[in-house]
Amino acid sequence: MTTRPRAAHRLTVTCMALAAVATGLAAAPTATAAPSVLASHHDTRDATAVQALLATLPDGVTDAAVVRVAGGGMRGLYTGTAGEVEADGRFPVGSVTKVFTDAVVLQLVAEHRIGIDEPVRRHLPELLPANYASVTVRQLLDHTSDLPRPARVPLDPRGVVAASFAADAAGRPGRVPAPGTVQQYNGLNSFVAGLLVEEVTGRSYIHELDRRILRPLALRSTGLSEDPAIAWAWSEGGLTSTPGDLDAFLKALLGGRLLPPAQQRHLFEVPAVPGAPENTSCPTGTACFSAGGLMGIELNGKKIWGKTGSSGGWTSGVFASTDDHRRTVYTLRPHPLSTPQQQRTRVEAVVKAALTD
């Protein structure tokens, strides 16, 4: 057992939303060797359930786990680990990347360099086909753009977007897009958002991310993956980070450090539209993603906000409750022989232990 004092906030997540995270994970990559261990702050009043859960790992479902809990009356930060994993190791965070991208876009909105309800094609006329001329920046961020799903091809970002539109046109000829009518969680929105950042600023996406978020928050262990199999996902899912960096980012984002009040409110604006049938991240059949890319979900009578992501054999999540200000960050590596249902159940158990028990 080691001691890792720090200060922080609070969070949570719902079962069905968590289910989308754990489904279809790849076999786990090799982790940094370390004995199975629990690491915590000396004040563990609110972390006993997490400690008890981690003490049972690794098992046939989870090979390794890191869970951090902070805020909500705790005097410091709790960090627990199990299996061969470092308490603040660096992991691919998958779709948590989207929230970083959206924060950069909202900063550009705050600077009046783009409008939240401005058509995206005004800046990227050669990228979006003419029948998507009405898609707005807001619709990219809250996943109501009705863009086609991304082609999973290892190309540069513009190549991914072009291939996605070409594949959709070939597979669904004559389709008329209907932006703003339904929410369909879609990674192509984040590819286009990253390209929008580059077009508006005249600099690379990673340069702007570093200048606006990573350096100001001292997130020294966050950046694009060096693994080509992960890095191709770019502004949609290409980042690697640590639990500590993710927690610091979430605290700053929800605490108003990254955005002025006028743009901060977009983090909690969810469109009043239905969710697409396959949009399993939103459990009630209605939209749950905000204009800042966060999921807003009710759990045990509390509203919580955050994001999940999975990549390279890891599944991660960052969530926070706006009423009692508790945050949690988790990263799990599933056993290669575990089933998707077992993985969903384990993610649910971890989050419940961290935030509701």
Side-chain angles (χ1 to χ4, degrees):
M1 181 175 291
T2 60
T3 300
R4 301 175 57 83
R6 272 183 217 176
H9 263 18
R10 171 164 199 169
L11 245 117
T12 7
V13 70
T14 194
C15 325
M16 296 179 72
L18 288 167
V21 188
T23 305
L25 293 174
T30 303
T32 303
S36 179
V37 64
L38 293 177
S40 68
H41 185 270
H42 66 276
D43 177 9
T44 59
R45 296 169 307 179
D46 299 323
T48 53
V50 174
Q51 288 180 300
L53 176 59
L54 291 175
T56 69
L57 305 180
D59 61 7
V61 177
T62 304
D63 281 347
V66 181
V67 183
R68 293 166 66 96
V69 187
M74 294 182 73
R75 295 198 300 265
L77 170 71
Y78 169 83
T79 301
T81 69
E84 295 186 351
V85 64
E86 294 181 347
D88 213 21
R90 192 172 184 181
F91 309 95
V93 301
S95 288
V96 177
T97 303
K98 294 178 173 66
V99 185
F100 286 79
T101 300
D102 291 355
V104 173
V105 173
L106 288 176
Q107 287 185 353
L108 292 172
V109 171
E111 295 164 8
H112 305 290
R113 302 176 74 174
I114 52 176
I116 187 73
D117 293 311
E118 182 180 14
V120 177
R121 198 167 185 268
R122 186 173 297 170
H123 296 280
L124 297 168
E126 79 293 346
L127 193 69
L128 270 65
N131 56 340
Y132 289 91
S134 66
V135 172
T136 66
V137 174
R138 184 192 299 271
Q139 290 165 350
L140 287 183
L141 303 183
D142 68 16
H143 298 280
T144 61
S145 66
D146 201 24
L147 296 184
R149 305 307 292 272
R152 295 292 172 180
V153 289
L155 301 174
D156 64 276
R158 285 181 178 270
V160 170
V161 174
S164 301
F165 281 116
D168 188 63
R172 299 187 293 177
R175 186 179 81 94
V176 178
T181 62
V182 67
Q183 186 173 80
Q184 174 57 67
Y185 179 70
N186 181 0
L188 196 66
N189 291 311
S190 298
F191 274 105
V192 176
L195 291 168
L196 181 63
V197 168
E198 294 195 332
E199 182 66 24
V200 169
T201 66
R203 291 179 289 268
S204 72
Y205 162 76
I206 194 60
H207 174 91
E208 290 300 301
L209 181 65
D210 184 63
R211 183 174 74 87
R212 294 170 175 271
I213 295 178
L214 303 187
R215 275 188 286 159
L217 298 182
L219 306 184
R220 297 181 179 88
S221 296
T222 301
L224 285 178
S225 174
E226 296 178 357
D227 182 350
I230 295 171
W232 80 271
W234 197 53
S235 60
E236 185 264 342
L239 290 184
T240 61
S241 189
T242 64
D245 273 14
L246 290 178
D247 184 55
F249 169 69
L250 187 65
K251 180 180 180 180
L253 180 67
L254 297 183
R257 183 175 170 186
L258 295 177
L259 299 170
Q263 284 67 50
Q264 185 78 4
R265 63 184 173 85
H266 296 318
L267 296 177
F268 311 107
E269 291 176 344
V270 175
V273 299
E278 64 272 28
N279 200 24
T280 55
S281 294
C282 300
T284 64
T286 58
C288 72
F289 286 96
S290 75
L294 297 176
M295 300 161 60
I297 302 167
E298 294 282 342
L299 180 66
N300 293 343
K302 297 179 180 180
K303 189 73 173 184
I304 63 106
W305 298 88
K307 189 67 184 72
T308 60
S310 56
S311 179
W314 296 91
T315 180
S316 304
V318 295
F319 284 89
S321 168
T322 53
D323 58 357
D324 59 7
H325 305 293
R326 174 158 299 195
R327 298 187 309 274
T328 191
V329 175
Y330 63 84
T331 296
L332 308 176
R333 191 181 71 209
H335 188 284
L337 298 181
S338 63
T339 67
Q341 181 57 50
Q342 288 174 319
Q343 295 163 21
R344 288 192 291 267
T345 301
R346 176 54 47 78
V347 169
E348 178 185 340
V350 167
V351 175
K352 283 188 173 182
L355 301 168
T356 66
D357 291 347

